[in-house]
Amino acid sequence: MDIKQIQDLIRFVSKSGVNEVSIEQKDFKITIKTNEVQPQVIHASIPAQTAPVALPVAPVASAEPAVPVAPAAADTSKYLTIKSPMIGTFYRSASPDKPLFVNVGDEIKTGTVVCIIEAMKLFNEIESEISGRIVKVLVDNASPVEYDQPLFLVEPI
């Protein structure tokens, strides 16, 4: 076997999900082993965290009469949304003893830091890409957030 054939075999084994492959020829023997246990554990834990957050919100909205829900939906259509650019933990301030980056009613400009998202022990400052006035904070402090999850509603100025 030449090196290209070995590389193709490694790619095939990694894509197929097989744990082990052994090939023997006249004077050549190769064994390729993989272990794919960890990604399954990660995928199982993420839905468990998001399910409890979504469940309490749905019953509250369904318990309300249909009349207040319709105006709320109409009101949010005129607002712009700042969304999470990554998966991580949402923080409204740099530390518990520091002031919040933004509050409801604050005017922000493009480039204003609105929150921090911690991902893999790195604290990423999230800057606004829009200008306007913060109308609503959609996520609780120290809560997990998903990619593209709405964080703030902003009224354009």
Side-chain angles (χ1 to χ4, degrees), residues 36-53:
E36 298 181 5
V37 176
Q38 292 177 346
Q40 295 172 348
V41 173
I42 292 171
H43 291 293
S45 65
I46 290 173
Q49 292 175 353
T50 56
V53 174

Side-chain angles (χ1 to χ4, degrees), residues 1-9 25 28 30:
M1 282 187 113
D2 66 2
I3 195 77
K4 184 176 180 342
Q5 291 173 320
I6 294 171
Q7 289 173 338
D8 290 340
L9 181 61
Q25 292 181 345
F28 181 78
I30 185 170

Side-chain angles (χ1 to χ4, degrees), residues 36-112:
E36 298 181 5
V37 176
Q38 292 177 346
Q40 295 172 348
V41 173
I42 292 171
H43 291 293
S45 65
I46 290 173
Q49 292 175 353
T50 56
V53 174
L55 290 177
V57 174
V60 171
S62 63
E64 295 292 323
V67 177
V69 174
D75 289 341
T76 59
S77 65
K78 66 181 179 181
Y79 300 130
L80 301 174
T81 306
I82 298 175
K83 296 181 179 181
S84 175
M86 64 186 68
I87 295 173
T89 304
F90 172 85
Y91 294 104
R92 292 191 61 196
S93 64
S95 68
D97 59 332
K98 300 280 182 174
L100 301 178
F101 289 111
V102 293
N103 291 305
V104 173
D106 288 354
E107 288 188 22
I108 59 170
K109 296 180 181 176
T110 303
T112 302

